[in-house]
């Protein structure tokens, strides 16, 4: 009887240890994460800056974790399609998504988003930021942002500016430029950067903002001219281009790439991902690749990225309301 009692105690102890061991390896723990491939949804087509930055980061995460991070491009609806898929995915760390500045602007642009741009997600890390560069067609009588402002004031409502679409960072930053300087140009939205650039080079459009990776090759080929960079300081990839601030226009604007997970994803998993993103973007070879793309590597904490995103939502909400930007819902 005493033997049975002792055996029962042993079994009970083993059972308890088993439970505790299982709890340490539960989904809320990052100990075994990731145990299988991770899908990273990109809300844009392959080849663009969001896709390239995502693929570079995903490859580095795969090396760090010893698992494949599969990039899945799901373009559509101004990024809403893919982002909604992330918001509705199982919150276990195996479905992630990358977003850009449009994600913050969409919160105000659309009256009926299927998710909340902040609350529906766990913000993992801000991967990097990219300022926008102001460029003009070669025939425009302006060689600086100061010249552009003076010309636009002399010809109110006559100059045109292109963007990759309504509500894109390029569109909203140009609206911010106009409201700050008191000028008025006519917006011509395109379905993407490529067709807008073609018309800028062809002289059908006067001005356009976009990322250095999109614009600088054409600037250096002499097909368009750079007027200024919407950054706080000159960027390493084009140190010869002055900032808008240097031209007397206190405007800073750009896009960025950040990594999200569905709301409810265990904090240990989110923290583990965040740490590895920070390690990845600080590797010298990755940092150099980002710099050549006009991207400033960041790799911050979930709390820092959350605050950054909230600030972006507020910033672009003000611009959208001031400029009365409308988009079809």
């Amino acid at each position: 009887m005493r033997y049975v009692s002792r055996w029962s105690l042993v079994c009970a102890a083993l059972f308890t240890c088993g439970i505790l061991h299982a709890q340490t390896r539960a989904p809320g723990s990052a100990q075994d994460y990731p145990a299988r491939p991770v899908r990273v949804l990109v809300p844009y087509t392959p080849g663009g800056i969001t896709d390239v930055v995502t693929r570079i980061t995903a490859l580095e995460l795969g090396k760090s974790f010893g698992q494949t991070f599969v990039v899945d491009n799901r373009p559509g609806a101004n990024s809403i399609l893919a982002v909604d898929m992330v918001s509705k995915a199982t919150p276990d760390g195996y479905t992630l998504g990358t977003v850009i500045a449009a994600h913050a602007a969409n919160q105000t642009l659309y009256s009926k988003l299927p998710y909340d741009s902040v609350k529906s997600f766990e913000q993992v890390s801000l991967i990097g930021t990219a300022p926008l560069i102001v460029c003009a067609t070669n025939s425009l009588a302006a060689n600086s942002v100061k010249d552009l402002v003076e010309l636009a004031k002399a010809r109110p409502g006559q100059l045109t500016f292109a963007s990759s679409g309504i509500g894109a960072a390029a569109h909203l930053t140009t609206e911010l430029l106009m409201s700050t300087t008191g000028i008025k140009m006519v917006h011509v939205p395109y379905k993407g950067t490529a067709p807008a650039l073609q018309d800028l080079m062809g002289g059908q459009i006067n001005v356009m903002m976009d990322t250095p990776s999109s614009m600088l090759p054409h600037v250096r080929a002499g097909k368009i001219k750079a007027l200024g960079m919407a950054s706080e300081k000159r960027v390493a990839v084009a140190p010869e281009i002055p900032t808008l601030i240097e031209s007397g226009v206190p405007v800073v604007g750009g896009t960025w790439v950040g990594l999200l997970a569905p709301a409810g994803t265990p904090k240990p998993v989110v923290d583990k991902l965040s740490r590895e993103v920070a390690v990845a973007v600080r590797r010298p070879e990755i940092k150099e690749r980002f710099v050549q793309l006009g991207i400033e590597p960041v790799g911050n904490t979930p709390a820092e990225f959350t605050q950054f995103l909230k600030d972006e939502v507020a910033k672009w909400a003000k611009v959208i309301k001031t400029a009365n930007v409308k988009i079809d819902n």
Side-chain angles (χ1 to χ4, degrees), residues 24 50 123 126-127 167 183 207 218 229 262 285 301 315 326:
T24 64
T50 315
Q123 282 67 237
L126 179 61
I127 298 171
I183 63 174
V207 179
H218 304 287
M229 196 77 69
E285 65 275 19
T301 66
K315 174 183 178 177
K326 301 292 185 181

Side-chain angles (χ1 to χ4, degrees), residues 216-256:
L216 284 178
H218 304 287
V219 170
R220 288 168 177 161
K223 297 178 181 179
I224 53 176
K225 54 187 175 182
L227 304 184
M229 196 77 69
S231 54
E232 293 183 354
K233 59 183 180 179
R234 296 197 183 199
V235 299
V237 72
E240 74 280 6
I241 300 175
T243 66
L244 273 65
I245 296 172
E246 289 177 73
S247 298
V249 180
V251 169
V252 174
T255 190
W256 43 267

Side-chain angles (χ1 to χ4, degrees), residues 99 103-104 107 116-127 256-265 267 270-271 274 298-315:
V99 291
H103 175 66
Q107 187 66 31
D116 183 282
S117 294
V118 178
K119 297 177 182 178
S120 298
F121 306 94
E122 303 295 340
Q123 282 67 237
V124 176
S125 181
L126 179 61
I127 298 171
W256 43 267
V257 182
L259 187 66
L260 302 176
T265 300
K267 187 176 186 300
V270 173
D271 288 343
S274 178
V298 179
N300 58 10
T301 66
E304 289 168 337
F305 184 27
T306 298
Q307 187 58 56
F308 173 87
L309 181 55
K310 288 179 179 178
D311 291 344
E312 282 284 287
V313 169
K315 174 183 178 177

Side-chain angles (χ1 to χ4, degrees), residues 150-232:
E150 291 176 354
L151 183 63
K153 285 183 176 179
R155 298 166 55 185
Q158 295 181 40
L159 300 186
T160 56
F161 75 93
S163 79
S164 56
I166 296 174
H171 171 208
L172 298 182
T173 304
T174 310
E175 293 285 0
L176 180 58
L177 169 65
M178 292 194 296
S179 65
T180 301
T181 58
I183 63 174
K184 182 62 179 176
M185 298 186 290
V186 178
H187 181 213
V188 183
Y190 287 76
K191 291 184 178 180
T193 299
L197 254 174
Q198 286 298 318
D199 279 359
L200 182 70
M201 290 187 287
Q204 288 84 14
I205 294 293
N206 299 127
V207 179
M208 179 178 169
M209 276 195 191
D210 213 280
T211 59
S213 63
S214 297
M215 309 299 272
L216 284 178
H218 304 287
V219 170
R220 288 168 177 161
K223 297 178 181 179
I224 53 176
K225 54 187 175 182
L227 304 184
M229 196 77 69
S231 54
E232 293 183 354

Side-chain angles (χ1 to χ4, degrees), residues 314-329:
K315 174 183 178 177
W316 295 124
K318 183 177 179 180
V319 172
I320 290 164
K321 291 172 183 176
T322 300
N324 195 29
V325 176
K326 301 292 185 181
I327 195 166
D328 293 333
N329 283 271

Side-chain angles (χ1 to χ4, degrees), residues 7-8 11 13 18 53 72 79 177-178 219 226 229 236 242 264 287 289 314 322 328:
W7 178 245
S8 298
C11 288
V53 169
D72 186 358
S79 82
L177 169 65
M178 292 194 296
V219 170
M229 196 77 69
K287 186 174 181 178
R289 290 182 69 182
T322 300
D328 293 333

